[in-house]
Amino acid sequence: MARYSIFSLARNAINYHQNWPRAWRNPEPQSSYDYVIVGGGGHGLATAYYLAKEHHVGRIAVVEKGWLGGGNTGRNTTIIRSNYLLDESAGLYNHAIKLWHTLSMELNFNVMFSPRGLLHLAHTLSDLREIGRRGHSNYANGVDAEMLTPEQVQKWVPFINLHGRFPVLGAILQRRGGIARHDAVAWGYARAADALGVDIIQNCEVTGFDTTGGTLTGVQTTRGRIGVNKAAGVVPAGHAGVLAAMAGFRLPIETVPLQAFVSEPIAPILDCVVMSNTVHAYISQSDKGELVMGGGSDPYNSYTQRGSFHQIEHVVAPIVELYPIFSRVNMLRQWAGIADITPDRSPILSATPVKKLFFNCGWGTGGFKSTPGSGHTFAETLARGEASALAAPFSLERFITGRLVDEAAAAAVAH
Ligand code: FAD
Ligand code: PYC
């Protein structure tokens, strides 16, 4: 792998940047691999990278039906935080935050991680109680959390409307929360995994699973059959239900569109992330200057990556109410991704009824923040053939035993 540095940048500038090597290969699928990862989003690529780097487990392929990061990884609003309520979640999401802090160096790829501070606003007394409870729980779990008064909120966001239709009664602040550059995360993991010998195979859709006596033996793809020697890890976000059906079981997952919006670029004005869970509206400003906004998921099941028209008003109305200064900013783009929502709004990292077949899904509206942590702990799960300590509470078993990890309030945007 060519090392990216100030020196390689200068060297390539002399040649008008004509001679950069390919960031990753474009290999033909082999007849079998030790590990096959289905899904070339951030989570799948991170899984492959940590499998190769930390577990040295033999031949690994990532099989992606479209292009790398073309799913939710490239469509999300990149909010990173770990201020969930429960101990199990604190373990998982805080592990991810720690990895985020050194990820650019680890991958030799600038993922533009910017821990600029993240506020969750409280607009009602019950919001105040919710963030108070969550803040205390965060504090006890070593997750940074501070309660802010409305006046302190105004210091962070001077132009916020504290006394409008959605009065601001306080906020919880996570200083280590922030944003990163979404597709850089996919590309950084892809490049680093490829350098470790992982075959990344794009335009290759998995269409079925081969089993013998309840054990996985291979995956059927649009580019032929690929044998699986040790295990397959399926990381397909919104298509988890489709792939589970191919393997002959059902997942407790609903699939809904989730939209995002960006404005035209404007001069720097907002240097933190602000979320309003009750009114389902959140906003940050990208390094390019665009306001990045989103809100609740569309209220119906669908695999379309568009989203419905009325949801635009649901997001824009509270944004304009809370930040009247933005009322004349033009909207530039709108899109949607496909979110995989579980009943307790926590992910599934689990063995399945098919031996050697593992699923990593159910991250719903909030999985970008956990990309490094998810990949790291799922790689350990695949290498061991059983759940890692961090993954264990997130197995499918919990929907049978009732030991749910209920994060409905902290998940914020999932209805
Ligand atoms: P994906 O990036 O979707 O990757 C899954 C891949 O699997 C896809 O590339 C897909 O093509 C592939 N695939 C599917 N089926 C097959 C098949 N049969 N064969 C081969 N490949 C297949 N999270 C946050 O933490 N913060 C946020 O601010 C945030 N905002 C969001 C905003 C929006 C609009 C959306 C839609 C989501 C948001 N999320 C956010 C959630 C986050 O984007 C996801 O949880 C996360 O990116 C999931 O990553 P992934 O790698 O699992 O999925
Ligand atoms: O989980 O923090 C989150 C989130 C923000 C926007 C979408 N999801």
Side-chain angles (χ1 to χ4, degrees):
M1 177 172 84
R3 220 179 144 66
Y4 292 164
S5 69
I6 184 76
F7 303 109
S8 59
L9 195 61
R11 233 183 356 262
N12 280 280
I14 294 167
N15 302 319
Y16 300 98
H17 298 288
Q18 301 290 309
N19 298 329
W20 284 106
R22 287 184 76 108
W24 53 84
R25 295 164 298 130
N26 190 18
E28 284 302 310
Q30 304 293 300
S31 58
S32 71
Y33 290 89
D34 293 317
Y35 291 87
V36 172
I37 309 299
V38 180
H43 289 229
L45 292 163
T47 304
Y49 169 74
Y50 292 116
L51 255 179
K53 173 160 183 251
E54 297 199 355
H55 303 282
H56 316 287
V57 287
R59 291 163 58 252
I60 304 165
V62 176
V63 178
E64 163 56 49
K65 75 172 174 176
W67 65 96
L68 299 186
N72 290 352
T73 298
R75 292 164 184 272
N76 79 93
T77 44
T78 78
I79 293 175
I80 294 170
R81 60 187 175 90
S82 62
N83 54 2
Y84 285 70
L85 177 69
L86 300 168
D87 299 354
E88 295 87 343
S89 318
L92 192 55
Y93 293 101
N94 229 19
H95 182 52
I97 286 256
K98 285 185 194 134
L99 294 172
W100 275 113
H101 277 265
T102 52
L103 194 59
S104 293
M105 283 180 290
E106 164 91 25
L107 300 179
N108 180 229
F109 201 103
N110 187 1
V111 300
M112 295 168 74
F113 174 55
S114 165
R116 54 183 63 186
L118 176 141
L119 279 68
H120 275 176
L121 303 181
H123 298 291
T124 64
L125 288 175
S126 83
D127 278 355
L128 269 183
R129 276 193 288 270
E130 188 274 316
I131 59 171
R133 180 175 176 224
R134 188 144 54 91
H136 283 112
S137 159
N138 288 167
Y139 189 74
N141 272 316
V143 176
D144 72 301
E146 289 164 50
M147 300 301 288
L148 303 186
T149 63
E151 292 68 35
Q152 289 171 313
V153 171
Q154 193 135 44
K155 289 217 168 85
W156 280 79
V157 190
F159 49 85
I160 196 167
N161 178 9
L162 290 181
H163 307 292
R165 185 170 148 212
F166 306 118
V168 177
L169 306 184
I172 185 173
L173 163 69
Q174 182 172 24
R175 286 184 192 267
R176 295 170 76 205
I179 56 172
R181 169 84 201 166
H182 45 17
D183 34 31
V185 175
W187 299 338
Y189 273 119
R191 180 168 166 273
D194 174 89
L196 293 171
V198 173
D199 279 1
I200 297 173
I201 304 158
Q202 301 181 71
N203 297 312
C204 183
E205 179 171 359
V206 168
T207 53
F209 295 99
D210 293 344
T211 57
T212 305
T215 301
L216 184 77
T217 55
V219 293
Q220 295 290 342
T221 82
T222 46
R223 292 175 66 179
R225 180 183 189 275
I226 301 177
V228 176
N229 301 333
K230 294 197 174 135
V234 181
V235 200
H239 289 84
V242 178
L243 280 135
M246 288 177 199
F249 58 90
R250 294 187 68 190
L251 291 173
I253 278 187
E254 277 190 76
T255 297
V256 292
L258 180 68
Q259 302 192 42
F261 314 87
V262 290
S263 75
E264 60 189 331
I266 56 175
I269 183 168
L270 179 63
D271 61 1
C272 60
V273 183
V274 194
M275 301 184 70
S276 280
N277 294 0
T278 304
V279 298
H280 289 300
Y282 62 88
I283 187 162
S284 67
Q285 187 170 21
S286 76
D287 292 342
K288 277 191 287 182
E290 300 157 333
L291 298 173
V292 181
M293 292 164 274
S297 47
D298 279 54
Y300 54 82
N301 300 125
S302 169
Y303 291 104
T304 62
Q305 292 181 318
R306 285 195 299 272
S308 59
F309 193 65
H310 76 280
Q311 195 67 19
I312 300 174
E313 190 183 355
H314 278 301
V315 173
V316 172
I319 293 282
V320 170
E321 179 69 30
L322 282 164
Y323 316 100
I325 195 173
F326 295 145
S327 62
R328 290 168 62 206
V329 173
N330 291 309
M331 197 76 91
L332 197 63
R333 290 193 305 275
Q334 169 274 356
W335 65 88
I338 303 300
D340 41 340
I341 315 269
T342 59
D344 59 3
R345 286 11 180 198
S346 285
I348 294 168
L349 291 137
S350 187
T352 68
V354 179
K355 289 198 194 73
K356 294 194 191 176
L357 180 63
F358 294 78
F359 266 59
N360 178 350
C361 58
W363 293 95
T365 60
F368 178 73
K369 64 176 76 64
S370 28
T371 305
S374 157
H376 194 257
T377 208
F378 196 50
E380 186 185 340
T381 298
L382 291 177
R384 288 163 44 140
E386 61 180 31
S388 68
L390 288 179
F394 299 95
S395 79
L396 276 169
E397 282 277 290
R398 75 181 190 272
F399 300 105
I400 298 163
T401 61
R403 275 192 72 89
L404 301 181
V405 187
D406 190 343
E407 289 289 2
V413 296
H415 281 293

